[in-house]
Amino acid sequence: MAGAPITALVGVTCLSATDCWAVGDRFSSSSAKAGPALIEHYSGHGWSPVSAAPAQKGTLDELSGVACLSASDCWAVGMRSGSHSGNLIEHYGAGSRWTMISTPSPQGELGAVTCQPLLGQCWAVGSSSDFRRAIAFRLVGSRWSYVRPAQIQASFVQVNGVACATPDDCLLVGFLTPKHAASQALAERWNGHVWSRVAVAGELSGGGSLAGIDCRPGTSPTTCWAVGQTVGKGSGVVPIHPLVERWNGHVFIPARSPLGGPGNYPELKAVSCTANTQCQAVGSRGSGEDEASVLTQGWNGSSWARETSRSPLYGFQTLTGVSCPTAQECWAVGEGQNRNFSGVRLILEQFKASL
C-alpha cells in the first residue's frame, strides 16, 4: 500500500529489569521521508517513545544498536541517508535527552555498539560507505577514535555485532563476500593493540554469516556466543541452518542447535547471555522473504533448544535484537507486517528465558 508507515526496532539493551532502551527507524514506504530515528524506553511500567536527536534537513536517521555505561550515559549507533549520509552516533546524557555526536572518519554504516561500564569504554563497529571494509571506533572518556580493523580482501563486507569479555578481548562479527564466491562468516578479535581475523568453523559448503554476539565479562574461561546462519551448496532446495559459535578465549567452536528443514529456513540474528549456563537467541524462520515467523532458542548450559514464541503479526516477521537483564526475563525487538499487510510495525516481545 503506497505511503504505508514503516516502523522497525533493531537493537535493544537493558541495564536492569526496569530500565531498557530500544532503537530503530520509521518512515513512509512511499518516499522514505527524512526524519529522526525511532527510540523507545522501558521504565518497568511499559514502553514509551522518546525523542531522538533531530535529523538534518533531507536526512533519514536509522539506528541499529544501543548500549549504556550507566542509566544516564547511553550510546546509539546507525546510519544517515539522504542529503547527509554516513555514520550516526547519538548520546543520552545531560538534560536526559538524546543528542547527535560528531562522528570521525571514515564514514559508513554503523551496525552495533557495546559498552563496558566498569571501564568507561565503548566500541562501535560497522562497514565503510563502499562496503569493502570493516570500520571500528573506540570511546574512551568522551571521545570516539577510529581504530583500523584487520585488512580484508572482499567485494562486500558487513559488520553486524560487537562484544567484549575484557578490555583486551573484544570480538566483532558479520560476513564478507569474496569475488566470485559465496559469503563467509567474518570474525575479528581485538587483543588490546590490534584487530586480527579469527577463523569461524562449522559453516556448510555454501558459506554463512554471523549477525550477533554477546560475551559475559569476567567469566573464566572467557565465554562468548555468536549466532547467524549457514547454507548448503547446490541446485534446488539447499539446507539452511542456524550457525551458533562459542568463543572460548582462543577459538570459535561450532555448537549444535535445532536444524532447519524444507520450508523452514532459520536465521539467528542476536544473542544475550546472563550466565555461562543461560543465553537467549532470536531471529526468524520461514519459507522466504515474504513468509516468516519469529524464532527463539535458549541455551541451558549443555544444549540449545527451540522455544515456543508467538508471532504477533503477519507475513514476514523477525526478531533482530534481544537483551536479558536477568536469567528469568528478556526483551526482544523486531518488525512484522500489519494484519492487512498495510505497512510494517515494530515488535516488542517479553519472555522468560529457558532454565
Side-chain angles (χ1 to χ4, degrees), residues 66-81:
V66 59
C68 296
L69 290 165
S70 70
S72 59
D73 189 1
C74 297
W75 296 90
V77 304
M79 64 170 292
R80 300 173 297 166
S81 59

Side-chain angles (χ1 to χ4, degrees), residues 1-290:
M1 179 180 293
I6 294 177
T7 58
L9 289 173
V10 184
V12 61
T13 189
C14 292
L15 290 89
S16 69
T18 59
D19 190 1
C20 301
W21 290 97
V23 300
D25 54 79
R26 52 186 169 189
F27 57 92
S28 169
S29 61
S30 62
S31 60
K33 292 181 180 178
L38 175 63
I39 300 179
E40 298 270 338
H41 184 244
Y42 179 75
S43 59
H45 302 289
W47 288 87
S48 57
V50 176
S51 296
Q56 294 178 283
K57 185 177 181 180
T59 301
L60 177 67
D61 291 347
E62 303 171 68
L63 292 172
S64 54
V66 59
C68 296
L69 290 165
S70 70
S72 59
D73 189 1
C74 297
W75 296 90
V77 304
M79 64 170 292
R80 300 173 297 166
S81 59
S83 58
H84 298 83
S85 60
N87 303 328
L88 174 62
I89 299 180
E90 297 194 19
H91 181 240
Y92 178 81
S96 298
R97 62 190 180 94
W98 288 90
T99 57
M100 190 174 297
I101 304 299
S102 298
T103 60
S105 294
Q107 294 298 309
E109 175 180 317
L110 296 176
V113 60
T114 188
C115 293
Q116 295 80 53
L118 295 179
L119 306 171
Q121 170 186 280
C122 298
W123 283 96
V125 299
S127 307
S128 60
S129 56
D130 61 1
F131 288 94
R132 294 295 183 90
R133 56 196 172 101
I135 56 176
F137 302 93
R138 187 183 187 186
L139 175 75
V140 178
S142 60
R143 184 183 176 207
W144 287 94
S145 300
Y146 174 66
V147 181
R148 185 184 298 276
Q151 295 297 304
I152 300 173
Q153 296 296 322
S155 59
F156 186 89
V157 176
Q158 182 166 318
V159 177
N160 300 316
V162 62
C164 295
T166 70
D168 299 333
D169 194 359
C170 299
L171 295 158
L172 65 80
V173 298
F175 70 92
L176 60 85
T177 305
K179 291 184 177 179
H180 311 299
S183 295
Q184 302 172 2
L186 166 67
E188 296 189 17
R189 181 189 187 188
W190 169 257
N191 64 3
H193 303 284
V194 297
W195 287 96
S196 58
R197 286 282 303 278
V198 293
V200 179
E203 292 180 89
L204 296 178
S205 57
S209 64
L210 291 172
I213 186 168
D214 191 34
C215 296
R216 297 306 306 155
T219 56
S220 182
T222 300
T223 300
C224 304
W225 285 98
V227 298
Q229 184 185 62
T230 184
V231 302
K233 188 176 183 180
S235 59
V237 178
V238 298
I240 300 177
H241 303 303
L243 180 62
V244 181
E245 300 278 338
R246 185 172 188 172
W247 174 259
N248 65 3
H250 303 284
V251 295
F252 273 112
I253 301 172
R256 183 183 298 274
S257 69
L259 302 178
N264 175 22
Y265 306 142
E267 179 179 8
L268 294 173
K269 298 186 178 181
V271 60
S272 178
C273 298
T274 56
N276 284 356
T277 58
Q278 184 64 50
C279 297
Q280 191 71 37
V282 301
S284 64
R285 56 186 174 87
S287 58
E289 294 183 357
D290 298 326

